[in-house]
């Protein structure tokens, strides 16, 4: 009887213990990822794109939820650093910076094209600097944010001229520093974007060439939305909603240009006239165009954006900014148009 009681006691103890362990495991160690993270962090810049409409109208909160946080950056390099550290989930940066990230084995994906850069990024020089074309920059001090789309376009312009980078003093400066150096008279020119470009124009600066012209010789540049692959795998619906928000901004821009210019002006803290002028410096591909072979492509076919990133990586390697050029598949795998396809399919449905 005692033996039977002892066995019964052991059975009850083990049953309760195992059940308790299972309950605790379910409560605390399920390993399941919640449908939505506690906070969604976006790293954005004040680029003149329909994205500013999304921000100005508080559409991120509507599409992504109240737990969204926006962090403002002055350059794509800073966005890249934040993505690498995991302090932001989705960011907007130029193609040259994306190529830099991929070369350092960052697991990121391009999910949306915010703009194709045209005259909105330009090489501008002081009117009294004695510079009438690229060849006149010999011995001059020219600034640009290194490892940026502007730097990429500047180098392309130099390579297609009769001089080389060693014939001038190229200075690595962020836009705000460029403006200050210009006002002090420390530089003769700069390759930069708005709003600093607009201020240099207002100060009498003369534009020598633009990214629109450089694109015609094959140096295509763009600003794109990039997501950390880990975040996308955990929260694909959040990424889809982000793309949906971008499509809202683009559709409103295409159908209500005047009110869109007002929204962009408000978000960028510029006049409506300045907004209208700067808008003309970009190309904004539609969602349907973005999943064509010309740009991102879709799940069934690859687009040409992977080659744009590879060209940027070649440039960066030549400049000594990256140690090696990744394999082609790295750039191909970093292009992901499936979220655009998903939103378009929902719209058709």
């Amino acid at each position: 009887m005692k033996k039977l009681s002892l066995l019964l006691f052991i059975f009850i103890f083990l049953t309760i213990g195992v059940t308790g362990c299972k309950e605790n495991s379910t409560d605390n160690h399920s390993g399941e990822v919640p449908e939505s993270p506690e906070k969604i962090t976006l790293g954005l810049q004040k680029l003149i794109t329909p994205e500013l409409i999304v921000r100005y109208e508080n559409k991120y909160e509507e599409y992504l939820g109240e737990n969204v946080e926006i962090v403002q950056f002055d350059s794509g390099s800073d966005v890249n650093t934040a993505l690498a550290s995991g302090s932001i989930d989705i960011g907007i940066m130029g193609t040259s910076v994306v190529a830099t990230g991929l070369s350092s084995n960052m697991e990121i994906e391009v999910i949306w094209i915010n703009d194709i850069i045209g005259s909105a990024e330009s090489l501008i020089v002081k009117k009294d600097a004695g510079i009438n074309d690229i060849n006149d920059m010999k011995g001059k001090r020219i600034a640009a944010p290194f490892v940026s789309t502007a730097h990429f376009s500047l180098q392309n312009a130099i390579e297609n001229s009769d001089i080389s980078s060693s014939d001038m003093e190229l200075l690595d400066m962020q836009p705000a520093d460029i403006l200050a150096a210009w006002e002090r008279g420390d530089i003769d020119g700069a390759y930069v974007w708005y709003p600093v470009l607009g201020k240099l124009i207002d100060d009498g600066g003369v534009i020598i060439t633009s990214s629109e012209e450089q694109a015609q010789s094959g140096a295509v540049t763009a600003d794109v939305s990039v997501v950390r692959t880990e975040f996308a795998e955990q929260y694909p619906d959040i990424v889809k909603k982000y793309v949906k928000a971008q499509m809202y901004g683009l559709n409103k821009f295409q159908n209500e240009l005047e009110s869109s210019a007002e929204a962009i002006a408000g978000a960028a803290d510029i006049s409506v006239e300045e907004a209208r002028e700067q808008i003309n410096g970009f190309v904004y591909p539609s969602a349907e165009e973005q999943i064509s072979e010309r740009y991102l492509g879709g799940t069934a076919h690859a687009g040409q954006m992977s080659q744009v990133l590879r060209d940027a990586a070649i440039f960066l390697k030549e400049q000594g900014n990256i140690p090696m050029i990744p394999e082609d598949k790295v750039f191909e795998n970093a292009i992901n148009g499936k979220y655009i396809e998903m939103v378009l399919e929902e719209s058709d449905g």
Side-chain angles (χ1 to χ4, degrees):
M1 193 70 178
K2 287 183 179 180
K3 188 175 182 179
L4 181 60
S5 299
L6 179 60
L7 290 173
L8 182 60
F9 172 81
I10 294 172
F11 173 78
I12 293 172
F13 174 81
L14 290 175
T15 301
I16 293 173
V18 170
T19 303
C21 288
K22 285 184 178 180
E23 288 176 350
N24 289 337
S25 175
T26 302
D27 290 342
N28 301 318
H29 306 286
S30 65
E32 295 180 1
V33 177
E35 292 183 5
S36 179
E38 292 183 5
K39 183 173 67 174
I40 304 164
T41 309
L42 309 180
L44 308 177
Q45 302 180 66
K46 283 189 177 179
L47 303 172
I48 306 302
T49 78
E51 185 277 323
L52 288 181
I53 300 172
V54 181
R55 211 184 313 182
Y56 188 73
E57 296 186 359
N58 298 316
K59 290 296 180 179
Y60 282 122
E61 289 79 5
E62 180 178 327
Y63 281 90
L64 301 179
E66 294 297 328
N67 59 335
V68 66
E69 178 184 357
I70 296 174
V71 181
Q72 181 70 42
F73 292 95
D74 292 327
S75 72
S77 296
D78 293 335
V79 175
N80 188 53
T81 300
L83 279 168
S85 68
S87 60
I88 63 173
D89 305 308
I90 301 174
I92 298 178
M93 54 191 184
T95 43
S96 294
V97 184
V98 176
T100 302
L102 293 174
S103 71
S104 60
N105 298 318
M106 279 180 61
E107 295 187 356
I108 51 178
E109 300 172 11
V110 177
I111 55 174
W112 179 258
I113 299 174
N114 294 86
D115 63 72
I116 303 296
I117 303 170
S119 60
E121 285 189 5
S122 296
L123 173 59
I124 186 168
V125 298
K126 284 183 170 289
K127 60 184 177 182
D128 57 356
I131 303 174
N132 296 311
D133 59 33
I134 303 295
N135 295 319
D136 294 329
M137 295 198 304
K138 189 173 183 178
K140 304 297 184 179
R141 293 166 60 87
I142 307 298
F146 282 12
V147 198
S148 70
T149 50
H151 186 204
F152 175 71
S153 296
L154 171 61
Q155 192 60 41
N156 186 74
I158 294 172
E159 288 176 356
N160 289 318
S161 71
D162 297 329
I163 60 176
S164 67
S165 300
S166 60
D167 291 325
M168 66 194 74
E169 186 175 359
L170 292 181
L171 304 171
D172 181 10
M173 293 185 181
Q174 293 303 311
D177 298 324
I178 286 175
L179 178 58
W182 176 285
E183 292 174 341
R184 290 193 304 266
D186 292 345
I187 57 175
D188 300 296
Y191 210 120
V192 71
W193 52 82
Y194 286 95
V196 170
L197 178 60
K199 294 178 180 179
L200 303 188
I201 291 173
D202 292 341
D203 192 52
V206 179
I207 291 178
I208 299 300
T209 187
S210 70
S211 295
E212 181 177 13
E213 293 179 16
Q214 297 311 308
Q216 293 172 5
S217 65
V220 177
T221 53
D223 293 306
V224 296
S225 291
V226 177
V227 63
R228 291 189 295 108
T229 299
E230 181 183 19
F231 183 86
E233 290 175 347
Q234 290 181 342
Y235 308 107
D237 193 54
I238 295 295
V239 181
K240 184 183 72 173
K241 289 176 180 178
Y242 173 86
V243 168
K244 193 172 184 178
Q246 303 309 313
M247 287 175 62
Y248 165 85
L250 180 59
N251 290 335
K252 181 161 187 178
F253 174 82
Q254 292 172 330
N255 297 316
E256 302 175 33
L257 184 56
E258 186 56 34
S259 62
S260 295
E262 294 175 2
I264 288 173
D269 195 25
I270 57 178
S271 69
V272 177
E273 291 72 21
E274 287 176 306
R276 292 196 198 99
E277 181 181 358
Q278 293 180 36
I279 284 168
N280 294 328
F282 296 94
V283 174
Y284 306 105
S286 67
E288 290 79 6
E289 288 174 323
Q290 292 199 31
I291 56 174
S292 70
E293 184 179 350
R294 183 179 181 184
Y295 294 112
L296 299 181
T299 51
H301 55 279
Q304 296 176 12
M305 184 56 69
S306 62
Q307 184 60 45
V308 171
L309 295 179
R310 188 177 187 281
D311 290 343
I314 292 172
F315 155 72
L316 293 166
K317 175 66 169 60
E318 292 173 346
Q319 295 298 304
N321 297 120
I322 60 175
M324 60 174 289
I325 301 171
E327 296 180 2
D328 288 355
K329 66 179 182 180
V330 171
F331 301 109
E332 294 168 3
N333 293 339
I335 306 299
N336 194 343
K338 77 174 183 180
Y339 297 102
I340 300 176
E341 290 181 328
M342 291 165 65
V343 177
L344 289 175
E345 287 173 3
E346 285 185 356
S347 301
D348 292 340

